[in-house]
Amino acid sequence: MLLVDDRLQAARDHAAAGRHDNAALLFESILDISPGHPEALTGLIETSLSRGDLQSAQSLLTKATAQSERDAGFLALAAKVALAGNNPGEAERLADRALAIDPFHVQAALLKAEFLAAAGALSDVEVLLKTVREQTESQDILHGIARLYFSIGLFAPALASAREAHALDPDDAALNALVGQLLTVLSDHGEAAGFLQKAHLQDPANPEYLLALADNAAATGQLTEALRFADRVKTLFPDSMPAWLCYIRIKAERGEAEEALRDFAPVAKASKNRMEAVLTLGTAYGLAGEPEKTLQLLEPLLGNSDRLEEPDRTRLLSVLREAYLATGQLDRLPEVLNLSGSDAAKKPDEEALANHLRSSAMVVDPGLSNLEFMVMARFIGAAGQGTQTPVIGAATLAGLVRLFDFDTFLPSDARLVAQPHPEVSGTFPVSGLLAVPAQMRGGLTGTTPYLPAREDRLQRWRDALSEFPKPWIGIAWNEAPPGLTLGSLLSGLPQLPGTLVSTIWDHSRSQLAGHKGIIDAGRHVEQLEDLAALVQVLDYVVGPDGIVLHAAGASGTPGLALVPRVAPWYWFSEEGRSIWYPSLDVIRSPRAGHWATLLPELSEEIARRFHNGI
């Protein structure tokens, strides 16, 4: 007869290998022999959560014994069940009880860290995790720290912790996937592919790993490969909304959005989770370049948003924010941002809000991209203390913050929280500035130009270019197809007077080989301040979405942005002119596809814009 310990070990092995049904049967057999057995009960609850069976997990909790209630591991697991059941208050209470029993319990500490991070107490997060890590030599704590950092947007320290955990167990599929996902976020797609492929080979049916491979392939323009991964996930998991969103996004990039939406319509209609399906469809319309349909579908939900469960409510407001930005309905933004719980809503008194802004550090939201930050930078000084406004963000943002001449940058991931600035009494999210009254931040689109440049840097570029005929026309391009490469860009430009000046400073400069007559100014760009000064002495700038065009727009330099049909919200234009960067014209591609095939259709329009702009 099998002993309880034998059954328990076999159940653990099955669970570790992802054979949850087998594990559940063995855990149940132990409970038949020994009702209330803490480890078997814990294992069965974990198995239920892994299978997504929250109801069973909650039911099993009622079978807890007094012994279970004194076990830190069981309490941490109960906290996870409470969190999955959308009861964060109870979850935090249980995590606190677990830590009271065992202050160094890894899972309880990670749960508590999540609650602290959500409350903005990042210094407490740092102390807690550092203490547990010092006492526990385990890859679990490193893995958990990496996932926590990932969730709050601290990608560099997340990658460092993930790599450290991976070194302890290079064959762990979850760790390989996490390292790959972080490398993808940090744009190291080549190295990411190796980690993601290894995770996929270890667990071929794991949807998370397949979607990560799809995202990584799409980021490098391998749309056929990306579609193959996304299609496999939606075939294996036809009810998975993340799988459908990935599939629709990739199909949209291939110019096949209508087909993808037709495929998704019956799935959305038949979904058991009606709200998730509606939110997914609204997001899908945005991915397909139809934000008007997003608003048509989701705006009716806005009036009753307070009745939605918090994750659905947050997602609804986020999708509506993107749709309002993408359609230029900026007057609706304060309503959505206030509903989302920004400080603007919490401080309705304008004088109190103004005082709060003047004494606060501006926090760059983890979800805000570098280019979105460049758009929002116009509001930071106006709402705060001018260039003396402290800015908090990931260390990788330091160069951009300096570019806009802010004196104080507090990296949030050198340590989790930098030393507090003596004049900072609070914080305010940069994205929340759109909800601040116009008189405090200079109108919904702000004022331009707002990108400074030192006179000595400007004069250096004027002197360097003085021997070349004007107009000086700056050009920028993408690294690889389907983006706008240099060859494609030049094929679409009309015969131009003056001098073409390359603004590219990274390895993409290699595309200049074989193109005579273009001044390679980019090789003299050593820091972003050099680029800002270069852009400001140019007479015109043309290129795709990227830091060069944003710098031109923020400097008031005339130019032309060539953007995809489904472009980021900041390229919304009225009569072909950017509303965020009034000095820039915007041309959208007529459909998805490689720029090399699209530019011939746009050549006349490009020539007309150049004629009017130069």
Side-chain angles (χ1 to χ4, degrees):
M1 179 178 176
L2 284 174
L3 299 175
V4 167
D5 287 348
D6 295 330
R7 294 170 187 255
L8 193 59
Q9 185 58 55
R12 289 178 187 141
D13 293 342
H14 282 298
R19 298 185 292 271
H20 301 301
D21 290 340
N22 291 346
L25 287 172
L26 287 168
F27 285 131
E28 287 169 353
S29 72
I30 297 170
L31 292 171
D32 289 339
I33 300 169
S34 176
H37 190 288
E39 289 185 69
L41 186 57
T42 297
L44 192 53
I45 294 172
E46 288 176 338
T47 301
S48 297
L49 285 178
S50 299
R51 294 188 299 187
D53 190 351
L54 177 61
Q55 186 174 357
S56 293
Q58 291 171 328
S59 176
L60 287 165
L61 283 176
T62 64
K63 299 180 180 180
T65 64
Q67 182 180 355
S68 300
E69 294 289 343
R70 293 191 297 271
D71 183 80
F74 182 85
L75 290 169
L77 183 58
K80 289 183 181 180
V81 174
L83 196 58
N86 198 30
N87 190 349
E90 175 66 5
E92 186 167 13
R93 185 186 70 81
L94 289 165
D96 286 337
R97 283 183 58 194
L99 287 173
I101 295 170
D102 181 359
F104 308 118
H105 192 276
V106 171
Q107 297 305 318
L110 290 171
L111 281 168
K112 182 62 177 179
E114 288 185 30
F115 296 122
L116 291 171
L122 296 185
S123 57
D124 293 336
V125 172
E126 181 183 30
V127 171
L128 173 62
L129 295 182
K130 182 179 179 181
T131 301
V132 175
R133 184 176 174 183
E134 288 175 348
Q135 297 294 324
T136 308
E137 294 184 5
S138 165
Q139 73 177 48
D140 288 343
I141 186 65
L142 293 167
H143 191 171
I145 289 172
R147 284 205 170 276
L148 177 63
Y149 287 177
F150 194 0
S151 70
I152 59 177
L154 302 178
F155 303 127
L159 180 59
S161 293
R163 284 190 184 278
E164 193 173 345
H166 179 265
L168 296 174
D169 189 356
D171 295 323
D172 184 281
L175 283 171
N176 276 293
L178 180 57
V179 173
Q181 289 167 320
L182 286 163
L183 289 168
T184 296
V185 170
L186 295 169
S187 298
D188 193 345
H189 303 294
E191 187 179 2
F195 286 97
L196 295 174
Q197 287 163 3
K198 186 172 182 179
H200 171 57
L201 290 174
Q202 291 167 314
D203 191 354
N206 187 300
E208 180 186 346
Y209 305 166
L210 284 164
L211 290 178
L213 280 166
D215 288 336
N216 192 64
T220 55
Q222 302 174 63
L223 297 182
T224 300
E225 181 76 352
L227 184 60
R228 183 174 68 83
F229 288 123
D231 192 53
R232 177 160 176 75
V233 183
K234 76 174 184 63
T235 300
L236 289 172
F237 306 94
D239 297 325
S240 168
M241 296 298 120
W244 277 101
L245 276 181
C246 182
Y247 173 77
I248 292 167
R249 175 173 55 80
I250 294 167
K251 292 282 279 187
E253 291 181 23
R254 287 164 54 99
E256 300 164 354
E258 290 185 9
E259 178 187 335
L261 288 170
R262 282 197 304 269
D263 291 344
F264 179 59
V267 176
K269 186 176 293 186
S271 175
K272 295 178 181 179
N273 189 330
R274 183 64 180 164
M275 182 53 61
E276 183 184 21
V278 169
L279 291 172
T280 298
L281 183 57
T283 306
Y285 282 136
L287 293 174
E290 301 185 55
E292 297 83 2
K293 288 187 177 180
T294 298
L295 296 175
Q296 184 180 355
L297 179 68
L298 298 184
E299 273 189 318
L301 302 176
L302 193 56
N304 295 318
S305 63
D306 58 334
R307 300 180 185 176
L308 298 177
E309 293 185 2
E310 190 53 40
D312 290 338
R313 181 176 181 273
T314 299
R315 185 177 173 190
L316 169 66
L317 298 175
S318 176
V319 175
L320 284 173
R321 172 187 179 274
E322 293 298 307
Y324 286 138
L325 284 166
T327 56
Q329 298 184 55
L330 307 184
D331 57 317
R332 300 298 305 274
L333 288 173
E335 176 188 359
V336 174
L337 290 168
N338 285 342
L339 283 171
S340 69
S342 71
D343 282 353
K346 298 174 185 176
K347 297 180 177 289
D349 180 82
E350 290 194 7
E351 182 177 354
L353 175 59
N355 290 334
H356 176 69
L357 290 168
R358 284 194 292 269
S359 61
S360 292
M362 298 295 173
V363 179
V364 183
D365 318 40
L368 205 68
S369 72
N370 288 4
L371 297 180
E372 288 176 316
F373 172 79
M374 293 185 74
V375 180
M376 300 294 294
R378 72 192 72 201
F379 300 125
I380 295 175
Q385 307 173 56
T387 59
Q388 295 181 323
T389 305
V391 180
I392 297 174
T396 53
L397 276 171
L400 271 183
V401 173
R402 286 197 303 270
L403 179 64
F404 289 96
D405 218 23
F406 294 108
D407 297 333
T408 304
F409 177 70
L410 309 176
S412 59
D413 54 354
R415 293 174 60 211
L416 259 180
V417 169
Q419 293 299 318
H421 190 274
E423 297 178 7
V424 173
S425 63
T427 61
F428 196 91
V430 170
S431 63
L433 290 171
L434 288 171
V436 170
Q439 62 270 25
M440 295 184 196
R441 47 133 169 84
L444 268 174
T445 57
T447 56
T448 54
Y450 59 93
L451 180 62
R454 283 187 357 214
E455 180 58 34
D456 61 327
R457 283 194 169 97
L458 294 169
Q459 191 58 49
R460 181 168 70 89
W461 286 118
R462 293 189 193 105
D463 293 343
L465 295 172
S466 61
E467 62 183 277
F468 302 103
K470 296 190 93 184
W472 299 328
I473 301 172
I475 55 175
W477 57 86
N478 293 132
E479 179 179 0
L484 183 60
T485 60
L486 176 59
S488 296
L489 174 64
L490 294 177
S491 71
L493 296 183
Q495 290 294 321
L496 295 170
T499 304
L500 291 181
V501 180
S502 165
T503 61
I504 297 297
W505 69 96
D506 61 16
H507 62 272
S508 297
R509 286 178 50 242
S510 62
Q511 295 181 39
L512 284 167
H515 295 287
K516 297 181 179 180
I518 300 175
I519 305 304
D520 185 7
R523 70 189 180 95
H524 300 291
V525 172
E526 297 179 355
Q527 50 192 335
L528 291 177
E529 288 86 345
D530 296 326
L531 177 66
L534 170 62
V535 164
Q536 291 184 40
V537 303
L538 296 173
D539 299 300
Y540 199 83
V541 177
V542 60
D545 181 23
I547 192 170
V548 174
L549 267 292
H550 282 263
S555 301
T557 301
L560 175 61
L562 299 170
V563 302
R565 188 178 74 85
V566 183
W569 58 263
Y570 43 72
W571 290 122
F572 178 80
S573 57
E574 292 178 342
E575 298 181 351
R577 181 59 59 91
S578 168
I579 66 169
W580 295 97
Y581 298 126
S583 69
L584 300 182
D585 283 345
V586 178
I587 292 181
R588 290 176 183 260
S589 66
R591 61 184 182 280
H594 285 224
W595 277 104
T597 63
L598 297 168
L599 281 173
E601 298 180 43
L602 301 171
S603 58
E604 291 186 9
E605 178 66 10
I606 292 172
R608 185 181 69 80
R609 299 288 185 95
F610 264 93
H611 176 74
N612 293 336
I614 297 178

